[in-house]
């Protein structure tokens, strides 16, 4: 039987890369009425991509999704952070309605 190692820490939101390789990371964010959010995917301090969910002109929920394929080395830290946003920034996660998420896996 193979042991499953979880390298994601839900307390700080950081994924510690267990094995050097090519990884796929995906993130989805939602924002609510008349809000916006910018989120960045960061690998070892380097921003790999960013995305914007914006409902500034609408009374509804909006989402944005990003997928990144990148080389990562054992011990690298991978996480999502809020990017440059002004005061009306809002990340929304409501069970049954909108779920913001971050996931990843080793491709090879």
């Amino acid at each position: 039987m193979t042991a499953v190692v979880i390298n994601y820490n839900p307390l700080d939101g950081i994924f510690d890369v267990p094995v050097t390789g090519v990884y796929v990371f995906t993130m989805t964010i939602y924002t609510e009425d008349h809000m916006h959010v910018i989120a960045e995917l960061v690998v070892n301090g380097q921003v790999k991509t960013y995305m914007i969910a914006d409902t500034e002109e609408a009374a509804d929920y909006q989402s944005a999704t990003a997928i990144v394929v990148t080389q990562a080395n054992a011990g690298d830290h991978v996480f999502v952070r809020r990017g440059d946003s002004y005061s009306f920034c809002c990340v929304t996660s409501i069970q049954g309605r909108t779920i913001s998420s971050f996931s990843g896996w080793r491709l090879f």
Side-chain angles (χ1 to χ4, degrees):
M1 186 167 180
T2 304
V4 176
V5 178
I6 306 295
N7 290 74
Y8 177 76
N9 184 337
L11 298 177
D12 64 12
I14 295 175
F15 172 75
D16 291 312
V17 176
V19 177
T20 297
V22 175
Y23 284 78
V24 178
F25 295 104
T26 179
M27 58 184 186
T28 298
I29 55 169
Y30 283 86
T31 192
E32 57 189 59
D33 298 352
H34 304 289
M35 301 283 182
H36 86 284
V37 65
I38 300 170
E40 301 172 332
L41 178 74
V42 180
V43 178
N44 237 26
Q46 179 183 9
V47 175
K48 293 294 184 175
T49 193
Y50 71 93
M51 61 185 173
I52 302 169
D54 184 358
T55 60
E56 291 295 323
E57 303 299 325
D60 64 357
Y61 293 91
Q62 292 294 326
S63 65
T65 298
I67 299 172
V68 173
V69 178
T70 187
Q71 173 73 32
N73 297 313
D76 283 356
H77 300 290
V78 183
F79 58 93
V80 176
R81 70 179 177 202
R82 192 177 83 187
D84 239 354
S85 298
Y86 57 87
S87 60
F88 295 111
C89 175
C90 178
V91 176
T92 304
S93 278
I94 301 170
Q95 188 65 35
R97 208 187 252 175
T98 63
I99 302 294
S100 296
S101 65
F102 167 54
S103 63
W105 59 92
R106 186 166 58 104
L107 191 58
F108 55 87

